[in-house]
Amino acid sequence: MNPNKALWEKGDFTRIAESMRESGEALVQKLGITKVLKVLDLGCGDGTTALPEAKLGAEVLGVDIASNLVAAGNQRAKEHGLANCRFQEGDATNLHELKDHSFDLVVSIFGAMFAPKPFDVAREMVRVTRPGGRIVMGNWIPNDPTLVSQILRISSAYTPPPPEGFVSPMTWGIESHVVERFAAAGASKEKVSCVRDTFTFISASSPAVYVDNFRKYYGPTMNAFDAAGQKGRAADLQKELETLFEQHNKSPNKNATLIPATFLRVTVVV
Ligand SMILES: C[S@@+](CC[C@H](N)C(=O)[O-])C[C@H]1O[C@@H](n2cnc3c(N)ncnc32)[C@H](O)[C@@H]1O
């Protein structure tokens, strides 16, 4: 089994995605989507951004490596009556099933960044975008003080070091790497732009219950808890994450969670 696929099929990312809908919709509103656009949403999960893209009238294909999330996306599109939105399995490192230059817009929000082989990912995203089309990525930023980078920092202290040659997904949050990867894929360096943006996680649960959702349903956090458990340290990890989530919680109601996190929004004009 491909370990990248196994990681994301573990647990149930839909349970975290529920807390990402509002910011997903707000982000899509910024993309200038119109009815005529053909959109590829890569690493789409269960459609947090794909469904809003389709609601704006675009013809949307969601591609994700996790079969459970593809099924959940197709189910959600059906429930919302979106015949212009479908989901299929695929790997961002090799999109052989998709033709060259076949999309006006390729969107990947915290998706393709998690695929291995980042140069292959950039090459595939450029290949399937039509000349004059756009790629928009949302990437978490390494060593950022906000939530997602801090979850990674805490979790990594409990997990064994990655294998030699491992390229951290977080390197997609460093502008120089982004430019290098898209330039190697044939895009012009001047047409790659990066801005910092905010994505807010919103849950009706308290921060402690929200951490528990990560522990039960989010593959990377599940793995961190497995590793911590083997050393008898799962309770320490839980406590550190609860403190982190509580410190970052901006909800006036302390029994609910509202946590803004900074990310790098990358736009490439192909
Ligand atoms: C953090 S989730 C984000 C999902 C969605 N874009 C969202 O904003 O809710 C990361 C997604 O990337 C997908 N993914 C990871 N590696 C992938 C790969 N090699 N090819 C395609 N999708 C991948 C995972 O299955 C998962 O759905």
Side-chain angles (χ1 to χ4, degrees), residues 48-62:
T48 289
T49 48
L51 265 69
E53 288 152 10
K55 282 182 188 160
L56 291 172
E59 188 187 328
V60 181
L61 174 66

PDB file of all heavy atoms in Angstrom, residues 48-62:
ATOM      1  N   THR A  48     -14.352  20.572   0.429  1.00  0.00           N
ATOM      2  CA  THR A  48     -14.495  21.853   1.144  1.00  0.00           C
ATOM      3  C   THR A  48     -14.412  23.036   0.183  1.00  0.00           C
ATOM      4  O   THR A  48     -15.177  24.000   0.323  1.00  0.00           O
ATOM      5  CB  THR A  48     -13.427  21.962   2.246  1.00  0.00           C
ATOM      6  OG1 THR A  48     -13.769  21.036   3.273  1.00  0.00           O
ATOM      7  CG2 THR A  48     -13.349  23.360   2.845  1.00  0.00           C
ATOM      8  N   THR A  49     -13.520  22.987  -0.799  1.00  0.00           N
ATOM      9  CA  THR A  49     -13.461  24.071  -1.796  1.00  0.00           C
ATOM     10  C   THR A  49     -14.115  23.657  -3.117  1.00  0.00           C
ATOM     11  O   THR A  49     -14.614  24.508  -3.843  1.00  0.00           O
ATOM     12  CB  THR A  49     -12.003  24.540  -2.044  1.00  0.00           C
ATOM     13  OG1 THR A  49     -11.159  23.399  -2.266  1.00  0.00           O
ATOM     14  CG2 THR A  49     -11.480  25.333  -0.855  1.00  0.00           C
ATOM     15  N   ALA A  50     -14.135  22.367  -3.417  1.00  0.00           N
ATOM     16  CA  ALA A  50     -14.704  21.926  -4.709  1.00  0.00           C
ATOM     17  C   ALA A  50     -16.200  22.257  -4.803  1.00  0.00           C
ATOM     18  O   ALA A  50     -16.673  22.726  -5.850  1.00  0.00           O
ATOM     19  CB  ALA A  50     -14.471  20.432  -4.905  1.00  0.00           C
ATOM     20  N   LEU A  51     -16.946  22.019  -3.711  1.00  0.00           N
ATOM     21  CA  LEU A  51     -18.387  22.292  -3.782  1.00  0.00           C
ATOM     22  C   LEU A  51     -18.669  23.783  -3.976  1.00  0.00           C
ATOM     23  O   LEU A  51     -19.467  24.149  -4.850  1.00  0.00           O
ATOM     24  CB  LEU A  51     -19.125  21.736  -2.558  1.00  0.00           C
ATOM     25  CG  LEU A  51     -19.729  20.331  -2.770  1.00  0.00           C
ATOM     26  CD1 LEU A  51     -18.675  19.260  -2.905  1.00  0.00           C
ATOM     27  CD2 LEU A  51     -20.705  19.976  -1.645  1.00  0.00           C
ATOM     28  N   PRO A  52     -18.025  24.678  -3.204  1.00  0.00           N
ATOM     29  CA  PRO A  52     -18.251  26.111  -3.466  1.00  0.00           C
ATOM     30  C   PRO A  52     -17.845  26.530  -4.890  1.00  0.00           C
ATOM     31  O   PRO A  52     -18.495  27.381  -5.502  1.00  0.00           O
ATOM     32  CB  PRO A  52     -17.372  26.811  -2.418  1.00  0.00           C
ATOM     33  CG  PRO A  52     -17.214  25.814  -1.326  1.00  0.00           C
ATOM     34  CD  PRO A  52     -17.250  24.462  -1.972  1.00  0.00           C
ATOM     35  N   GLU A  53     -16.799  25.925  -5.439  1.00  0.00           N
ATOM     36  CA  GLU A  53     -16.409  26.234  -6.830  1.00  0.00           C
ATOM     37  C   GLU A  53     -17.550  25.855  -7.778  1.00  0.00           C
ATOM     38  O   GLU A  53     -17.895  26.615  -8.694  1.00  0.00           O
ATOM     39  CB  GLU A  53     -15.128  25.451  -7.203  1.00  0.00           C
ATOM     40  CG  GLU A  53     -13.868  25.974  -6.515  1.00  0.00           C
ATOM     41  CD  GLU A  53     -12.785  24.905  -6.295  1.00  0.00           C
ATOM     42  OE1 GLU A  53     -12.902  23.784  -6.834  1.00  0.00           O
ATOM     43  OE2 GLU A  53     -11.821  25.202  -5.571  1.00  0.00           O
ATOM     44  N   ALA A  54     -18.133  24.677  -7.540  1.00  0.00           N
ATOM     45  CA  ALA A  54     -19.228  24.212  -8.405  1.00  0.00           C
ATOM     46  C   ALA A  54     -20.483  25.062  -8.200  1.00  0.00           C
ATOM     47  O   ALA A  54     -21.234  25.322  -9.148  1.00  0.00           O
ATOM     48  CB  ALA A  54     -19.521  22.747  -8.114  1.00  0.00           C
ATOM     49  N   LYS A  55     -20.692  25.535  -6.966  1.00  0.00           N
ATOM     50  CA  LYS A  55     -21.876  26.390  -6.707  1.00  0.00           C
ATOM     51  C   LYS A  55     -21.782  27.685  -7.490  1.00  0.00           C
ATOM     52  O   LYS A  55     -22.790  28.298  -7.811  1.00  0.00           O
ATOM     53  CB  LYS A  55     -22.016  26.678  -5.210  1.00  0.00           C
ATOM     54  CG  LYS A  55     -22.609  25.494  -4.464  1.00  0.00           C
ATOM     55  CD  LYS A  55     -22.804  25.783  -2.990  1.00  0.00           C
ATOM     56  CE  LYS A  55     -23.211  24.500  -2.269  1.00  0.00           C
ATOM     57  NZ  LYS A  55     -22.983  24.547  -0.842  1.00  0.00           N
ATOM     58  N   LEU A  56     -20.537  28.117  -7.791  1.00  0.00           N
ATOM     59  CA  LEU A  56     -20.369  29.335  -8.601  1.00  0.00           C
ATOM     60  C   LEU A  56     -20.506  29.024 -10.099  1.00  0.00           C
ATOM     61  O   LEU A  56     -20.319  29.893 -10.939  1.00  0.00           O
ATOM     62  CB  LEU A  56     -19.009  29.982  -8.308  1.00  0.00           C
ATOM     63  CG  LEU A  56     -18.884  30.593  -6.906  1.00  0.00           C
ATOM     64  CD1 LEU A  56     -17.449  31.046  -6.633  1.00  0.00           C
ATOM     65  CD2 LEU A  56     -19.840  31.778  -6.748  1.00  0.00           C
ATOM     66  N   GLY A  57     -20.771  27.775 -10.433  1.00  0.00           N
ATOM     67  CA  GLY A  57     -21.089  27.418 -11.821  1.00  0.00           C
ATOM     68  C   GLY A  57     -19.959  26.753 -12.589  1.00  0.00           C
ATOM     69  O   GLY A  57     -20.161  26.315 -13.722  1.00  0.00           O
ATOM     70  N   ALA A  58     -18.755  26.662 -12.020  1.00  0.00           N
ATOM     71  CA  ALA A  58     -17.646  26.031 -12.745  1.00  0.00           C
ATOM     72  C   ALA A  58     -17.902  24.535 -12.895  1.00  0.00           C
ATOM     73  O   ALA A  58     -18.663  23.938 -12.141  1.00  0.00           O
ATOM     74  CB  ALA A  58     -16.346  26.259 -11.978  1.00  0.00           C
ATOM     75  N   GLU A  59     -17.229  23.959 -13.901  1.00  0.00           N
ATOM     76  CA  GLU A  59     -17.266  22.500 -14.044  1.00  0.00           C
ATOM     77  C   GLU A  59     -16.071  21.967 -13.248  1.00  0.00           C
ATOM     78  O   GLU A  59     -14.925  22.267 -13.587  1.00  0.00           O
ATOM     79  CB  GLU A  59     -17.140  22.139 -15.521  1.00  0.00           C
ATOM     80  CG  GLU A  59     -17.359  20.688 -15.799  1.00  0.00           C
ATOM     81  CD  GLU A  59     -17.047  20.347 -17.254  1.00  0.00           C
ATOM     82  OE1 GLU A  59     -17.250  21.214 -18.140  1.00  0.00           O
ATOM     83  OE2 GLU A  59     -16.560  19.235 -17.487  1.00  0.00           O
ATOM     84  N   VAL A  60     -16.336  21.222 -12.198  1.00  0.00           N
ATOM     85  CA  VAL A  60     -15.281  20.901 -11.229  1.00  0.00           C
ATOM     86  C   VAL A  60     -15.009  19.396 -11.174  1.00  0.00           C
ATOM     87  O   VAL A  60     -15.933  18.586 -11.064  1.00  0.00           O
ATOM     88  CB  VAL A  60     -15.683  21.391  -9.813  1.00  0.00           C
ATOM     89  CG1 VAL A  60     -14.576  21.090  -8.803  1.00  0.00           C
ATOM     90  CG2 VAL A  60     -15.996  22.884  -9.821  1.00  0.00           C
ATOM     91  N   LEU A  61     -13.715  19.077 -11.255  1.00  0.00           N
ATOM     92  CA  LEU A  61     -13.276  17.710 -10.993  1.00  0.00           C
ATOM     93  C   LEU A  61     -12.424  17.732  -9.731  1.00  0.00           C
ATOM     94  O   LEU A  61     -11.421  18.458  -9.654  1.00  0.00           O
ATOM     95  CB  LEU A  61     -12.433  17.174 -12.161  1.00  0.00           C
ATOM     96  CG  LEU A  61     -11.811  15.785 -11.916  1.00  0.00           C
ATOM     97  CD1 LEU A  61     -12.894  14.711 -11.800  1.00  0.00           C
ATOM     98  CD2 LEU A  61     -10.823  15.422 -13.018  1.00  0.00           C
ATOM     99  N   GLY A  62     -12.820  16.971  -8.729  1.00  0.00           N
ATOM    100  CA  GLY A  62     -12.004  16.827  -7.518  1.00  0.00           C
ATOM    101  C   GLY A  62     -11.192  15.547  -7.632  1.00  0.00           C
ATOM    102  O   GLY A  62     -11.735  14.504  -7.997  1.00  0.00           O
TER     103      GLY A  62
END
